[in-house]
């Protein structure tokens, strides 16, 4: 199949995926388990999970101020779930550490009471349950304060992700600098077609769903944007050409204020000028998905896209894996593939040093506040 110029120039400190030597091939986007591990803000919402499965039910809460080796505070909530249909009775737990939340289910018969509890048939203690659920945790104190469940719910609410925001930057022919890209007032029909592929054009005035920091009252961030609901996630885009243009500002700092603070950015390139990973000067941007629209002589009526990904060193690998020099047919299968890659890029970036340390400090402070209040 046809040869195309490289989409991304190599750079020290960045990992590039999806480009290499050789011909281009039509990529297969339908994959088993494509959505495994992809964000789902309804199922992954720990505030909702705690509220629906613990809050108004008899359950146990445990706390400790500090773990060995600087592991920080720990919070554990445990509830007994009775048998339902094909599911046997079990204990359900949420273990909260500064590294994140873990949900654990343990069958009742896997919890071993101490010998004297066996002798008197009193059943397992709270400590027995926690030890069976997470044996490597430090010693925890069971807290019976009626105010604690509300404090835990508040802790979860403060960490709740409401939706996702991604930047979209348009790069016209021969543009290699971010100032040039941020200054584009108009875009090609191919770019407009790609925006319609990403989602719906929605009016911002009076917008009642996730808004990603955009102004929905006075129009200071433009009149419309691109919005998509996918896999129970709300996604709002910061599109460079849809954000207001300032004739007096060469750097277009208002546009960059939004896109430069996104963790993942899509760069749509119109021509064959390779994208340089160092183009966007931002500590926050960790992953860039580079997209280009193409047509094939063998299939002239069908739109195809090229896709490559550049990640900062420190961002773990994330799927779905891109084939080298893949060509993607514009259809629903590619849309699901693209969104899985986009959401997984965000998730992987949370583990990168800059973002990971920030998230860890925040969680540690929230857990410490609860532990200090009830221990």
């Amino acid at each position: 199949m046809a040869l195309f110029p490289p989409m991304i120039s190599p750079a020290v400190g960045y990992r590039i995926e999806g480009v290499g030597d050789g011909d281009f091939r039509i990529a297969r986007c339908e994959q088993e388990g494509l959505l495994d591990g992809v964000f789902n803000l309804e199922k992954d919402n720990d505030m909702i999970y705690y509220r629906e499965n613990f809050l108004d039910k008899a359950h146990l809460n445990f706390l400790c101020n500090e773990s060995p080796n600087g592991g920080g505070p720990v919070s554990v909530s445990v509830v007994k779930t009775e048998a339902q249909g094909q599911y046997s009775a079990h204990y359900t737990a949420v273990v909260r550490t500064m590294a994140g939340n873990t949900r654990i289910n343990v069958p009742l018969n896997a919890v071993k009471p101490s010998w004297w509890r066996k002798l008197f048939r009193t059943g397992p203690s709270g400590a027995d349950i926690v030890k069976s659920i997470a044996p490597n945790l430090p010693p925890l104190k069971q807290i019976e304060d009626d105010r604690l469940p509300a404090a835990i719910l508040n802790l979860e609410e403060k960490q709740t992700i409401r939706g996702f925001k991604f930047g979209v930057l348009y790069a016209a022919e021969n543009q290699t600098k971010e100032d040039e890209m941020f200054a584009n007032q108009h875009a090609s029909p191919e770019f407009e077609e790609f925006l319609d592929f990403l989602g719906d054009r929605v009016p911002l005035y009076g917008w009642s769903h996730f808004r990603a920091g955009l102004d929905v009252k006075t129009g200071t961030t433009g009149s419309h944007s691109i919005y998509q609901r996918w896999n129970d996630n709300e996604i709002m885009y910061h599109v460079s050409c849809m954000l207001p243009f300032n004739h007096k500002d060469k750097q277009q700092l208002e546009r960059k204020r939004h896109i430069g603070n996104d963790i993942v950015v899509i760069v749509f390139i119109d021509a064959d000028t390779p994208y340089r990973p160092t183009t966007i000067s931002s500590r926050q941007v960790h992953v860039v998905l580079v997209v280009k629209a193409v047509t094939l002589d063998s299939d002239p009526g069908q739109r195809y896209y090229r896709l490559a990904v550049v990640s900062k060193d420190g961002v773990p690998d994330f799927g779905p894996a891109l084939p080298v020099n893949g060509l993607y047919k514009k259809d629903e299968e590619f849309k699901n593939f693209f969104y899985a890659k986009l959401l997984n890029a965000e998730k992987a970036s949370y583990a990168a040093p800059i973002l990971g340390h920030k998230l860890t400090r925040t969680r540690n402070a929230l857990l410490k506040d609860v532990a200090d209040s009830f221990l």
Side-chain angles (χ1 to χ4, degrees):
M1 190 167 285
L3 289 172
F4 295 101
M7 295 179 69
I8 302 175
S9 301
V12 175
Y14 294 87
R15 183 181 70 252
I16 299 173
E17 182 186 6
V19 298
D21 298 330
D23 294 347
F24 280 77
R25 303 293 180 191
I26 304 299
R28 180 178 175 272
C29 293
E30 187 178 7
Q31 298 182 11
E32 185 176 350
L34 180 67
L35 301 184
D36 291 349
V38 178
F39 274 123
N40 181 312
L41 292 187
E42 291 191 5
K43 295 179 181 177
D44 297 338
N45 189 318
D46 286 316
M47 180 190 72
I48 295 175
Y49 186 75
Y50 182 75
R51 186 178 65 205
E52 293 183 350
N53 294 283
F54 294 81
L55 189 61
D56 293 326
K57 301 177 181 178
H59 69 284
L60 307 176
N61 286 305
F62 304 83
L63 292 171
C64 78
N65 262 319
E66 186 62 47
S67 304
N69 302 317
V74 176
S75 165
V76 178
S77 299
V78 181
V79 66
K80 183 178 178 181
T81 303
E82 301 298 335
Q84 293 182 351
Q86 60 179 332
Y87 299 104
S88 59
H90 60 276
Y91 289 106
T92 297
V94 177
V95 178
R96 307 175 189 87
T97 69
M98 63 182 187
N101 284 9
T102 304
R103 300 177 188 177
I104 303 173
N105 292 320
V106 174
L108 296 190
N109 58 15
V111 177
K112 306 300 182 184
S114 58
W115 67 269
W116 65 272
R117 283 183 170 269
K118 284 183 181 179
L119 182 64
F120 292 99
R121 298 182 180 180
T122 58
S125 66
D128 294 330
I129 297 170
V130 171
K131 186 176 181 180
S132 298
I133 289 171
N136 296 322
L137 289 178
L140 297 163
K141 181 178 180 181
Q142 184 174 338
I143 306 297
E144 298 182 355
D145 192 317
D146 291 340
R147 299 170 300 163
L148 181 54
I152 292 174
L153 186 67
N154 183 55
L155 178 150
E156 299 291 13
E157 184 176 15
K158 289 179 179 178
Q159 300 175 94
T160 298
I161 300 174
R162 307 292 179 184
F164 295 99
K165 59 187 184 71
F166 298 107
V168 183
L169 185 60
Y170 172 67
E173 188 171 0
N174 297 322
Q175 290 185 337
T176 59
K177 300 176 181 178
E178 68 171 351
D179 287 355
E180 297 171 331
M181 299 176 190
F182 279 109
N184 286 320
Q185 298 184 63
H186 307 288
S188 64
E190 290 80 6
F191 179 67
E192 298 295 340
E193 178 187 349
F194 176 69
L195 292 182
D196 291 331
F197 169 76
L198 281 182
D200 300 320
R201 296 172 188 256
V202 297
L204 291 178
Y205 183 76
W207 181 251
S208 59
H209 299 286
F210 179 67
R211 62 187 182 90
L214 296 175
D215 181 2
V216 297
K217 294 181 179 180
T218 60
T220 59
T221 56
S223 62
H224 290 72
S225 193
I226 303 297
Y227 171 87
Q228 178 70 44
R229 187 171 181 87
W230 182 84
N231 198 41
D232 291 329
N233 300 302
E234 288 192 83
I235 298 162
M236 179 66 86
Y237 290 94
H238 297 144
V239 183
S240 58
C241 297
M242 300 178 80
L243 293 166
F245 178 81
N246 185 347
H247 291 272
K248 298 180 180 180
D249 183 5
K250 180 181 178 181
Q251 294 181 296
Q252 299 302 316
L253 293 178
E254 274 301 301
R255 288 179 168 183
K256 188 175 179 181
R257 179 172 68 87
H258 290 285
I259 297 174
N261 280 305
D262 292 327
I263 294 171
V264 181
V265 173
I266 302 165
V267 175
F268 186 95
I269 57 175
D270 239 356
D272 293 330
T273 305
Y275 174 79
R276 296 184 303 185
T278 56
T279 299
I280 302 174
S281 58
S282 167
R283 286 173 56 86
Q284 188 77 354
V285 176
H286 280 64
V287 179
V288 174
L289 281 70
V290 182
V291 179
K292 178 176 170 56
V294 296
T295 54
L296 303 177
D297 292 339
S298 59
D299 194 3
Q302 176 65 50
R303 168 68 68 211
Y304 288 86
Y305 290 109
R306 295 173 62 193
L307 172 64
V309 176
V310 56
S311 307
K312 285 183 176 178
D313 285 350
V315 176
D317 291 339
F318 55 92
L322 299 188
V324 174
N325 300 336
L327 288 176
Y328 301 86
K329 184 178 181 180
K330 179 189 169 187
D331 58 17
E332 196 64 24
E333 288 182 3
F334 174 54
K335 187 168 186 175
N336 288 330
F337 181 94
F338 184 87
Y339 268 98
K341 192 68 174 176
L342 190 68
L343 270 294
N344 285 342
E346 175 98 1
K347 189 174 187 177
S349 296
Y350 293 166
I354 293 176
L355 297 179
H357 293 160
K358 185 186 299 183
L359 291 171
T360 297
R361 286 196 304 269
T362 300
R363 286 186 57 84
N364 185 68
L366 291 172
L367 285 167
K368 190 175 187 306
D369 183 58
V370 172
D372 288 346
S373 297
F374 291 93
L375 287 173

